[in-house]
Amino acid sequence: MGRPLDDLVQDFIAETREGLESLDSELVKFEQNPNDPATLSGIFRLIHTIKGTCGFLGLSRLQTVAHAAENVLGGFRDGATPVTPQAVSAVLDTVDLIRSLVDALALGGAEPEGDDRALIGRLEEVMDGVLLPDAGDARADERALIERLGGDATLDAAAEMALVELRGDQDIGPLLRAVDGDRLQAALRDGLCRIARKQQPDNRAFAGAIGEVAQSPLAESSVAAIFQAVGAALVGLDVGPDAVDALSALVLASPRSETAGEPDGSQEPSTGGVDAPATPASLQAPPSPQSPEGGAGPAQTIRVSVDALEQLMTVVSELVLIRNQLIQTLRLDPECAFAAPLHRLNQVTSELQERVMTARMQPISGAWAKLPRLVRDLAQELGKSIDLVMHGQETELDRQVLELIKDPLTHMIRNAADHGLETPAERRAAGKSETGRITLQARHEGGAIVIEVADDGKGLPADKIRAKAVASGLVTPAQAEQMSDADARQLIFLPGFSTAAQVTAVSGRGVGMDVVRTNIEKIGGAIELTSAEGMGTRFSIRIPLTLTIVSALIVEACGQRFALPQASVVELVSASGASRRAIEYVDGAAVLRLRDRLLPLVSLQQLLGLESVGETSTETCIVAARVGAFTFGVIVDRVFDTEEIVVKPVATVLRHIKLYSGVTILGDGSVILILDPKGMSAEAGAGQNGRSVQDDVGGSAGAHAADRTALLLFRAANEALKAVPLATVSRIEEVAAQQIERVDGRTVIQYRGRLMPIIGVDARPTAAWEGDASRPLLVFTHGDQTAGLLVDEIVDIVESALDSRLASQGAGAAGSLIIDGRATELLDFAYYWRRAVNEDEPPRSERTSDQVGDRSGVKRLLVVDSSPFAQVLLRPLLSSAGYDVTVAEDPSSALALYEAGERFQLIMTDTRLDSAQAMAFAKVFAQASEWHQTPLLGLALGEPGVDAKLDATNLLDELAATLSGLKGAA
Amino acid sequence: MNAHGDSAVSAASAVEGLVSIRIGRQVFGVPVLQVQDVIAQTDINLVPLGPPEVAGLLNLRGRIVTAVDMRRRLGMEPRRPEDGLMSVIVDRNGELYALLVDDVGDVLWLPQDAQEPVPVTLSAHWRALCRGLFRLDEELLLVLRVEDILALGRATTIDGAGLAESTNSDPVFQS
């Protein structure tokens, strides 16, 4: 469908149209003066060229027609054939037919199906000098069709001849060879006789009869091919071509009256915007050779290349800018002498802009044209009875968008017919009418077009979808359980999901709705799904009217303006102090409580690495944006108006930045970037793919299971995966090689007005790297100190239990974890922190040999904790707060420390220790009598009084309080 | 952009028109056929996250032009407020780029056979961006390769060492 034409075919169409246009006047002359050899040879040449080119391009229908006409014209030229009015009108009809075929070819990309035997027959008769008095008017013959056809016997003979010929046919031959030839012939004959007697279109009589014998439903093309053969046989049996023509029309059920008005087939032969049930009426009917106005259509329109329209659009947008500037000056000086002409200019410009924009618009019926036929074929193939109802065919949208939605729409219609609607028996059992209904609806809605595809079928079974998603590993059983039915249904948009229990020929190949969604999102659209079991399913697609002019929200961050496509904006939330709606932080990630859900936030300033100007603005706006099923918030400083912007592509050198989808020029002439919500959502969702749905569903990003820690996975130095707890990373920045400077043996970058030391994963100052590709920098912050760890690539953020680790393997590594089946090195964050920030201080190991270190007020703390929490979080936190921290992983190592003579001001322990360990600790503590004076601080819940929440500030406060209490007491 | 054929050129040899531009203290030439326009300072809108050489985007009569800071592209010291700023608009595959330079001079018509190869003492970074050299009366003119200058994605950018080298090599061309 709608595939782009070969260049050759395009050239052929353009050439033939040109030739036919110049022929128009020639043909009139030819009619008046049929003996003028110049005119004749002109026509002959053109027809000859068409014949030759068509043969080369494999356009057999055009070739056959042209060939027959050429023979006649050759006869005229050579004087062998007398030029009679009948002969001339046969030639004229041929030219008209060629014209309409070429138009159909240009529109549909393929020759329309149809039968030209009647016309060719007339031409041949002209050649043979057999002049039928009424050859031009089939309807003049009042005799019954069956009589004109020569009765049942002729039809039987024709059926036999046709079948003999068809057995040799490539496509249909195998089908026919397998079945009983006599029965097939009888079925064919009976079908034809019935149609001819009734003189009414009855597709089932013909196709159904053959299909029954062949034991498989017939495709439309096969029906056409079979009838073509029958038609040829009938002509061979001396049946009048007009009668064959009439029979052909009935068999292919394509009443001429509906197509005659639209010779170029460019418009949907709709019944005027009201219900247009899927009758085969909207098939590509063979253009009627008798259609007198066949050549009149194209003269009313000219073809303009899209490029030309684009350029026009560019010029117009420039004009709009100039207009805006002039209007600005007018505002300053309303008494200006140019006021009147400027107002006029204003109006004219607006009108011009509108006209140019509408010039690119086409009614959506263009994308729908093939759907009735599709539904009809599907109904036959699936043995269902389906009505296709279409509303709003006249709704216009940009032709580029039109092309892009064709395939998704087809796919959805297929799905509705195959999966959505039940068989007639099932429908009857459910108390519905046997005929299922698919409703297609288009309407404008606030700068976008909304297309709905709804069926009244069985709806999407939420339980089956859950089971399927779990079986294919898309979600865990627990996640599936938590989902509401509506959320579960959204799972069909995940890649690799297909609900069809059986893969049918029609659909169910596993590349279903996720492709549809991707395609729709590609053009800035969104798709929504609602379904009620037993009632049906409704897909609602929202797409922009045009890709070049979009409605966008203009936002500002750090004094810079950006455009955010309105289509993805859900709502605006003010997070200023007044509304008491504040941004909160969960696990270092900014979130906003918005009604019943938690909105993950990204800051435009941080995302784009903008430098704040002046004091931080007290007013903060959050733009809630949605990409697919994922909703997130973008923190901006200000929100301006919504503007219609002209989208221009991003320059090649900037195309690698995934956050921009385009560039535009605002009314005041400034150039601003258009943000890509998809790129931003990737940042907000931090690399989650399929999981965005869950997050959206659960709405509880903060509810991490207690024993799992969010880890940031990355690669550095080698292929091995490395991880740090996400909570320790305050930001991730991108740095370019040029930003890195060397200061006295260290590498630093300028970061927010200060120097930030950065190190590599080898804990050494980083070397510069080749190229200007930027690299991710993990920024760690403690107090007002920051340090950066330069890595090669951020891989993912995962949640993992920290207990699966192996013992530490040397400096910098806290241990190894298994994450998603891959060994991952958990970095000892404290080690890097020390190396980055306090590089010149002596390593800790030297200091531990010190005496009870009240040296310069440094408090010594012992942490007895088996979890890596102590290693990766507590130690750096306490170290940076000025404590000297020793970690004992279990009570026995604590005892070893005691025995080594270590003394501390405070001992912290994890009171979550399981009972055996708690006992062991109690024993150790009993032995370590010199530690009895040391205050003990419990780290977890369960011990009121010595209980500190796992919160950095609380913990430090508690520590300070305990220690000062100790000091006061001592 | 007025073409003043001010250099004495022998009619016999093929001549090439070069728009002379000044970046820092160095004079460069851009083939006149590649130059679409020369404009004075306009508003430039920044591109966050863009390559450091990209100064931003500007609006040239309704077309969006990507501005490349030539000082940064060549690894020179940053522009000071008192330095001049002119934009040489060049086309690359239908996209417009503005080369931000300090000053734009005349179009020089120079005989092609007078062009000399770039001296080997020039930093590798500059050598990759220059096609050749002309000895003018008072100074040396380096001919820029516009294609390579705009190939920002490739590895022709400066690292720390290249920066130092090219800044140092600047005085070499003072005559």
Side-chain angles (χ1 to χ4, degrees):
Chain A
M1 15 204 62
R3 59 175 182 277
L5 286 181
D6 246 338
D7 287 353
L8 279 173
V9 177
Q10 288 285 22
D11 288 349
F12 163 70
I13 290 168
E15 265 173 38
T16 311
R17 280 185 166 159
E18 253 172 53
L20 289 172
E21 233 156 71
S22 64
L23 257 192
D24 269 344
S25 52
E26 300 276 299
L27 283 169
V28 177
K29 262 195 267 165
F30 178 59
E31 204 169 16
Q32 289 162 350
N33 184 8
N35 294 316
D36 179 10
T39 316
L40 191 58
S41 68
I43 301 170
F44 181 84
R45 257 200 317 275
L46 178 74
I47 299 292
H48 180 77
T49 313
I50 292 172
K51 185 194 91 170
T53 324
C54 289
F56 179 63
L57 293 173
L59 302 168
S60 56
R61 191 174 164 197
L62 270 170
Q63 188 196 8
T64 321
V65 172
H67 177 72
E70 192 197 359
N71 285 346
V72 174
L73 290 165
F76 289 165
R77 198 182 49 181
D78 304 336
T81 310
V83 181
T84 62
Q86 285 88 355
V88 172
S89 85
V91 172
L92 287 176
D93 285 348
T94 311
V95 173
D96 282 348
L97 176 61
I98 289 172
R99 193 198 311 273
S100 60
L101 284 179
V102 168
D103 284 345
L105 175 66
L107 193 80
E111 275 185 305
E113 284 163 22
D115 193 4
D116 314 305
R117 235 155 278 278
L119 184 64
I120 291 167
R122 273 168 64 201
L123 289 167
E124 276 165 6
E125 279 154 8
V126 167
M127 271 297 283
D128 299 338
V130 185
L131 303 177
L132 294 175
D134 280 321
D137 191 0
R139 279 170 204 135
D141 198 330
E142 292 300 327
R143 283 182 300 152
L145 180 59
I146 185 80
E147 248 182 272
R148 283 193 280 148
L149 287 167
D152 293 12
T154 321
L155 286 172
D156 190 32
E160 190 177 356
M161 284 167 66
L163 288 174
V164 168
E165 199 184 320
L166 283 172
R167 283 204 180 89
D169 185 276
Q170 249 185 340
D171 298 319
I172 308 167
L175 193 75
L176 296 181
R177 257 172 261 144
V179 298
D180 186 335
D182 288 342
R183 278 184 59 205
L184 191 61
Q185 189 184 328
L188 188 55
R189 181 201 57 216
D190 290 347
L192 288 169
C193 291
R194 209 174 312 148
I195 295 172
R197 287 223 163 78
K198 287 207 293 196
Q199 298 217 23
Q200 261 168 19
D202 184 356
N203 187 35
R204 279 177 194 275
F206 184 71
I210 305 166
E212 231 168 79
V213 178
Q215 285 169 342
S216 68
L218 282 180
E220 188 68 28
S221 59
S222 318
V223 175
I226 291 173
F227 187 74
Q228 217 154 30
V230 173
L234 282 171
V235 172
L237 290 166
D238 281 333
V239 173
D242 50 343
V244 177
D245 212 15
L247 184 62
S248 146
L250 292 174
V251 169
L252 296 175
S254 46
R256 282 172 194 182
S257 51
E258 288 209 31
T259 45
E262 288 294 336
D264 60 0
S266 68
Q267 300 289 315
E268 167 75 17
S270 70
T271 42
V274 292
D275 294 10
T279 59
S282 34
L283 311 186
Q284 293 264 358
S288 163
Q290 277 95 8
S291 163
E293 65 272 37
Q300 296 305 311
T301 56
I302 54 160
R303 298 184 87 82
V304 179
S305 82
V306 179
D307 278 352
L309 277 178
E310 287 298 339
Q311 284 161 17
L312 199 58
M313 192 74 212
T314 312
V315 178
V316 169
S317 30
E318 193 183 321
L319 183 64
V320 170
L321 292 180
I322 298 168
R323 188 262 323 253
N324 291 352
Q325 284 167 10
L326 286 174
I327 295 299
Q328 197 73 39
T329 60
L330 193 63
R331 276 201 203 106
L332 301 174
D333 180 15
E335 302 300 315
C336 166
F338 299 114
L342 275 180
H343 281 302
R344 184 88 191 99
L345 175 73
N346 187 9
Q347 284 169 359
V348 173
T349 312
S350 302
E351 195 172 323
L352 181 62
Q353 188 184 13
E354 209 170 288
R355 290 287 160 89
V356 173
M357 268 153 76
T358 45
R360 293 171 46 99
M361 298 294 204
Q362 283 185 334
I364 195 167
S365 51
W368 288 1
K370 290 192 172 160
L371 297 178
R373 162 80 175 275
L374 174 81
V375 169
R376 196 190 144 283
D377 288 356
L378 284 173
Q380 278 196 339
E381 277 173 51
L382 298 164
K384 293 177 183 176
S385 168
I386 307 174
D387 247 2
L388 179 67
V389 182
M390 304 198 286
H391 296 284
Q393 290 98 323
E394 70 287 351
T395 314
E396 289 199 321
L397 74 168
D398 194 275
R399 53 160 287 289
Q400 201 184 348
V401 182
L402 199 69
E403 280 302 312
L404 290 166
I405 59 161
K406 269 187 190 168
D407 282 351
L409 273 184
T410 309
H411 201 98
M412 288 164 69
I413 295 279
R414 275 177 192 281
N415 272 347
D418 193 13
H419 307 314
L421 293 175
E422 313 92 327
T423 60
E426 285 168 351
R427 290 184 67 88
R428 221 176 310 130
K432 300 190 209 175
S433 74
E434 283 188 23
T435 304
R437 172 180 284 232
I438 299 176
T439 314
L440 205 53
Q441 209 171 46
R443 61 174 186 274
H444 284 294
E445 209 179 270
I449 188 167
V450 176
I451 304 171
E452 283 183 357
V453 180
D455 65 61
D456 65 348
K458 53 181 177 270
L460 287 170
D463 286 332
K464 264 195 200 164
I465 292 173
R466 276 197 197 94
K468 181 82 196 283
V470 171
S472 35
L474 294 168
V475 292
T476 65
Q479 287 168 338
E481 199 139 302
Q482 282 174 359
M483 286 178 190
S484 67
D485 283 0
D487 292 327
R489 291 192 182 106
Q490 308 296 332
L491 292 172
I492 65 162
F493 290 116
L494 293 187
F497 190 94
S498 175
T499 47
Q502 290 171 321
V503 171
T504 68
V506 179
S507 53
R509 287 177 209 86
V511 288
M513 293 311 293
D514 74 298
V515 176
V516 170
R517 181 163 87 169
T518 314
N519 284 343
I520 287 170
E521 283 177 359
K522 229 182 256 169
I523 54 173
I527 182 165
E528 273 174 37
L529 155 73
T530 50
S531 179
E533 237 154 289
M535 304 291 289
T537 309
R538 174 182 299 266
F539 289 97
S540 175
I541 307 173
R542 217 186 148 79
I543 40 175
L545 279 181
T546 154
L547 299 184
T548 39
I549 296 156
V550 302
S551 175
L553 189 69
I554 311 299
V555 298
E556 187 186 80
C558 301
Q560 274 203 60
R561 282 177 297 171
F562 298 91
L564 194 59
Q566 185 75 48
S568 53
V569 174
V570 187
E571 65 178 307
L572 300 178
V573 186
S574 163
S576 56
S579 65
R580 300 307 314 149
R581 227 195 239 116
I583 298 168
E584 296 172 75
Y585 293 87
V586 178
D587 219 12
V591 293
L592 180 79
R593 265 187 255 192
L594 186 60
R595 291 182 288 279
D596 58 334
R597 66 195 304 167
L598 217 47
L599 197 65
L601 298 179
V602 287
S603 151
L604 200 53
Q605 177 183 357
Q606 283 179 20
L607 213 54
L608 300 176
L610 301 173
E611 292 192 13
S612 47
V613 282
E615 79 275 33
T616 43
S617 115
T618 49
E619 221 177 313
T620 303
C621 282
I622 291 164
V623 182
R626 165 179 261 182
V627 174
F630 181 61
T631 311
F632 63 102
V634 186
I635 307 172
V636 300
D637 293 348
R638 272 175 83 186
V639 172
F640 296 93
D641 251 349
T642 304
E643 276 194 40
E644 297 281 303
I645 56 169
V646 181
V647 179
K648 309 206 172 195
V650 181
T652 325
V653 294
L654 302 174
R655 219 159 273 171
H656 63 280
I657 310 171
K658 295 284 174 251
L659 291 173
Y660 307 134
S661 62
V663 195
T664 192
I665 300 179
L666 287 187
D668 63 359
S670 56
V671 183
I672 69 166
L673 292 152
I674 304 167
L675 296 169
D676 184 357
K678 223 178 154 100
M680 291 200 294
S681 78
E683 297 281 336
Q688 52 194 314
N689 299 321
R691 279 179 292 144
S692 60
V693 175
Q694 290 152 238
D695 281 7
D696 198 45
V697 167
S700 53
H704 294 152
D707 57 340
R708 296 173 81 79
T709 310
L711 296 174
L712 178 74
L713 294 190
F714 60 91
R715 279 184 231 276
N718 52 35
E719 272 302 291
L721 277 180
K722 298 184 175 56
V724 289
L726 186 60
T728 61
V729 181
S730 60
R731 273 180 300 283
I732 298 172
E733 301 281 358
E734 293 275 331
V735 291
Q738 297 93 307
Q739 284 172 265
I740 294 176
E741 296 167 60
R742 280 172 176 274
V743 178
D744 131 61
R746 294 205 215 177
T747 42
V748 295
I749 64 166
Q750 292 179 29
Y751 187 69
R752 302 184 176 189
R754 301 179 57 168
L755 286 182
M756 174 168 75
I758 61 173
I759 53 172
V761 78
D762 54 1
R764 311 268 285 272
T766 49
W769 61 91
E770 295 287 310
D772 63 350
S774 57
R775 289 195 186 174
L777 180 74
L778 311 186
V779 179
F780 301 97
T781 307
H782 282 295
D784 55 357
Q785 266 189 307
T786 55
L789 176 64
L790 193 70
V791 302
D792 293 345
E793 177 196 6
I794 304 290
V795 178
D796 202 353
I797 292 178
V798 296
E799 285 202 352
S800 170
L802 288 183
D803 52 13
S804 56
R805 70 203 189 108
L806 300 170
S808 138
Q809 309 146 318
S816 301
L817 298 167
I818 305 295
I819 292 169
D820 286 347
R822 287 174 299 181
T824 305
E825 196 181 333
L826 182 66
L827 293 194
D828 179 0
F829 162 73
Y831 172 78
Y832 289 97
W833 178 255
R834 255 186 348 257
R835 296 292 299 230
V837 180
N838 306 321
E839 205 172 18
D840 2 1
E841 282 183 27
R844 272 191 35 76
S845 52
E846 293 166 32
R847 241 194 301 163
T848 46
S849 60
D850 274 5
Q851 279 303 299
V852 175
D854 220 328
R855 192 191 52 161
S856 67
V858 175
K859 302 279 193 297
R860 296 202 67 205
L861 305 181
L862 173 66
V863 179
V864 186
D865 194 338
S866 57
S867 77
F869 166 80
Q871 294 278 356
V872 300
L873 281 177
L874 209 49
R875 178 148 66 182
L877 176 73
L878 297 174
S879 313
S880 64
Y883 298 103
D884 181 3
V885 186
T886 306
V887 175
E889 286 193 17
D890 50 48
S892 51
S893 41
L895 184 60
L897 285 170
Y898 173 74
E899 279 161 0
E902 299 282 342
R903 297 298 177 265
F904 304 92
Q905 269 88 29
L906 186 91
I907 299 171
M908 301 169 82
T909 185
D910 178 6
T911 44
R912 285 174 306 178
L913 295 174
D914 53 58
S915 55
Q917 279 208 306
M919 292 286 282
F921 183 72
K923 265 188 205 152
V924 167
F925 210 70
Q927 283 179 36
S929 54
E930 279 188 52
W931 281 2
H932 286 179
Q933 291 303 309
T934 316
L936 194 60
L937 191 64
L939 273 177
L941 311 168
E943 283 186 49
V946 285
D947 167 20
K949 269 192 212 148
L950 289 186
D951 173 292
T953 333
N954 281 358
L955 180 63
L956 290 177
D957 288 354
E958 191 78 22
L959 254 177
T962 314
L963 284 170
S964 64
L966 168 77
K967 218 166 234 171
Chain B
M1 184 171 47
N2 295 321
H4 298 298
D6 60 350
S7 314
V9 172
S10 67
S13 86
V15 293
E16 184 180 17
L18 292 169
V19 178
S20 67
I21 56 178
R22 194 171 54 75
I23 306 168
R25 279 164 295 186
Q26 176 60 42
V27 173
F28 293 91
V30 180
V32 71
L33 292 177
Q34 286 179 278
V35 175
Q36 300 244 324
D37 212 336
V38 174
I39 57 172
Q41 190 172 358
T42 56
D43 287 343
I44 293 179
N45 301 84
L46 304 177
V47 181
L49 305 182
E53 295 91 338
V54 171
L57 302 170
L58 54 90
N59 172 7
L60 176 71
R61 294 188 290 274
R63 291 198 64 183
I64 292 167
V65 183
T66 309
V68 176
D69 185 337
M70 286 307 291
R71 284 209 181 203
R72 201 168 276 202
R73 185 73 183 98
L74 292 165
M76 296 178 174
E77 73 259 33
R79 189 179 309 283
R80 288 160 303 172
E82 65 267 27
D83 291 326
L85 181 59
M86 296 284 279
S87 300
V88 178
I89 311 293
V90 293
D91 181 300
R92 181 203 187 208
N93 303 330
E95 286 179 355
L96 291 188
Y97 288 85
L99 307 180
L100 302 188
V101 301
D102 293 14
D103 198 9
V104 178
D106 292 332
V107 176
L108 307 178
W109 297 93
L110 302 170
Q112 265 173 4
D113 46 19
Q115 181 179 320
E116 295 173 35
V118 179
V120 288
T121 47
L122 208 58
S123 76
H125 179 58
W126 278 39
R127 273 207 307 279
L129 299 178
C130 298
R131 192 190 71 194
L133 176 149
F134 283 101
R135 273 181 289 178
L136 305 184
D137 292 342
E138 324 82 63
E139 54 204 344
L140 299 175
L141 179 143
L142 283 165
V143 186
L144 289 176
R145 287 180 204 269
V146 174
E147 268 302 305
D148 292 320
I149 284 185
L150 298 180
L152 293 178
R154 286 193 228 133
T156 44
T157 29
I158 23 164
D159 51 20
L163 185 93
E165 196 186 335
S166 50
T167 329
N168 292 341
S169 62
D170 213 1
V172 172
F173 296 99
Q174 284 188 285
S175 45

